[in-house]
Amino acid sequence: MKIDIIIAGVGGQGNLLASRVLARAALTAGLEVRTSESIGMAQREGPVTSHVRLGRGLSGAIIPDRAADILLGLELAETVRSLPKLKDEGRVVASTVVIRPITVTLGRSRYPAEELLAYLREVVPGALLFDAAETARRAGNVKAANTVLLGALSTLDGVLPFDHEDLLAALVATIPAKLLEVNRHAFALGREEALRVLEHRI
């Protein structure tokens, strides 16, 4: 048994925290864990990609192209950029939030958000997509969007090798005590929003 997860976002979105929470939950479940990060100018909102491998008999920490079971996307363009990592039957749970790089802000390039979203929906028809930042804002802190997506991920049946309560316990054990309340709320709202989106899709 092996689950490969790619987490894609930009600096400051809590990519590494999300990978640590997943790793802790897997270790508690008695599984092996391998993780790796690719960080590009993270403090300036550069791309950050985490590789999280959970299971037994793991070899390396880097997930090959077209091998990821799950793509957890914190930012729209970075989610699309990481699609080559996803296997054909892989699942996508992603935020539609857009973080425009400085070149776009200065008018030197464009951010085709609508085209990217349309492409993502076309390539992965079953993708679970919603604005996780807005959901996190309702929880009390927009920076908890990573927790919102972990909550959403926990609603997918048979995807993770542990249940949502184990994932929440790993989250509680990982984050500072002063942030517990807002993150518990964000996790619950992420689950609610994911179930609402999935129900509406049916």
Side-chain angles (χ1 to χ4, degrees):
M1 188 276 287
K2 176 173 66 66
I3 304 293
D4 286 344
I5 304 172
I6 291 287
I7 306 174
V10 301
Q13 289 194 293
N15 187 320
L16 304 187
L17 176 66
S19 73
R20 290 187 184 115
V21 170
L22 288 164
R24 184 186 291 266
L27 288 171
T28 302
L31 300 173
E32 298 172 17
V33 175
R34 302 282 186 276
T35 64
S36 179
E37 290 89 28
S38 171
I39 301 173
M41 300 292 284
Q43 293 183 341
R44 298 185 182 182
E45 298 182 343
V48 179
T49 304
S50 293
H51 297 234
V52 184
R53 313 191 84 177
L54 318 173
R56 304 189 191 286
L58 303 178
S59 51
I62 303 297
I63 299 171
D65 288 348
R66 304 186 63 79
D69 300 282
I70 301 166
L71 170 55
L72 192 69
L74 299 169
E75 197 275 338
L76 180 59
E78 295 307 320
T79 301
V80 172
R81 191 195 310 269
S82 293
L83 281 175
K85 286 291 183 185
L86 194 67
K87 63 172 57 171
D88 288 343
E89 65 275 22
R91 309 285 296 271
V92 172
V93 177
S95 177
T96 57
V97 73
V98 166
I99 298 178
R100 291 177 171 79
I102 189 70
T103 54
V104 173
T105 306
L106 295 174
R108 295 176 183 166
S109 61
R110 59 185 289 267
Y111 190 119
E114 293 302 320
E115 290 98 321
L116 289 172
L117 190 56
Y119 176 75
L120 181 55
R121 286 179 167 141
E122 176 186 346
V123 174
V124 189
L128 175 55
L129 306 172
F130 63 95
D131 187 340
E134 176 55 32
T135 305
R137 190 173 291 111
R138 287 194 282 121
N141 189 334
V142 69
K143 292 184 177 180
N146 55 348
T147 296
V148 167
L149 288 178
L150 287 175
L153 176 62
S154 74
T155 66
L156 301 184
D157 291 335
V159 171
L160 294 175
F162 36 77
D163 64 27
H164 77 277
E165 292 179 346
D166 295 327
L167 187 57
L168 178 58
L171 174 71
V172 168
T174 304
I175 61 177
K178 65 181 181 181
L179 300 175
L180 274 181
E181 184 177 351
V182 68
N183 277 277
R184 283 182 187 274
H185 195 193
F187 189 88
L189 287 181
R191 286 181 55 80
E192 288 179 13
E193 186 64 13
L195 292 172
R196 185 192 68 77
V197 171
L198 292 171
E199 182 179 354
H200 183 71
R201 183 183 298 163
I202 295 172

